[in-house]
Amino acid sequence: MREAIAAIVADAESEHAVWDGACVNWPPEVGGEPTRIQWCHGAPGIVSAIGDLLPEDLLLGGAETTWRAGPLEKGPGLCQGTAGNGYALLRIYVLTGDEVWLERAHSFAEAALGQLQGPYSLLTGDVGATLFAHSCLAVDPSFPIMDAI
């Protein structure tokens, strides 16, 4: 069953992926420009939410896109923020075992903590950034509210 689901995901994600060298992103609409690189739009959310179902080229391309985009100026939060994007880097570390991705996740955690200024909300504020920093220390890529036991 898992193989069948992975094949469907791979086909759909491959069809809508927009490549730029070693980087890949997904536009927020079919035929749109892949201009956003944040958890709720594009590569970071794809990698952190369904990275384990992606073919390796899409997985690595999405993570590379996230890394090259760097910490987001929008703030520290999970949705539209540095911490949300950082979860993609932490997820790829767990999936590949490549230490470079853990180091990169840690750098995003440091950046997110440096952006703390309120509000204290989960998705758009300081709480999400703090949870991401904890996730980096625990090496746990489980995204809050999405990855439940």
Side-chain angles (χ1 to χ4, degrees):
M1 178 66 148
R2 179 171 171 65
E3 292 81 21
I5 293 171
I8 292 168
V9 167
D11 287 346
E13 296 305 319
S14 294
E15 180 180 343
H16 298 291
V18 178
W19 285 92
D20 181 11
C23 296
V24 66
N25 199 11
W26 291 265
E29 60 189 40
V30 174
E33 290 294 317
T35 56
R36 295 184 192 165
I37 302 170
Q38 56 197 46
W39 184 85
C40 58
H41 287 88
I46 298 290
V47 170
S48 66
I50 60 172
D52 60 321
L53 298 172
L54 292 176
E56 186 174 341
D57 64 334
L58 292 178
L59 177 68
L60 294 172
E64 189 63 32
T65 296
T66 304
W67 170 247
R68 289 185 188 184
L72 296 180
E73 293 179 16
K74 290 183 175 185
L78 296 175
C79 184
Q80 307 169 28
T82 299
N85 284 15
Y87 270 103
L89 305 177
L90 188 55
R91 174 76 67 186
I92 197 165
Y93 165 69
V94 169
L95 292 172
T96 67
D98 185 342
E99 292 284 332
V100 126
W101 295 108
L102 183 58
E103 293 169 16
R104 291 175 175 183
H106 283 192
S107 74
F108 269 52
E110 289 176 23
L113 292 175
Q115 294 173 319
L116 297 180
Q117 61 183 353
Y120 303 108
S121 70
L122 173 64
L123 293 176
T124 60
D126 296 355
V127 173
T130 304
L131 286 173
F132 174 59
H134 179 268
S135 292
C136 282
L137 294 175
V139 190
D140 179 5
S142 300
F143 194 87
I145 73 168
M146 297 292 292
D147 294 317
I149 296 175

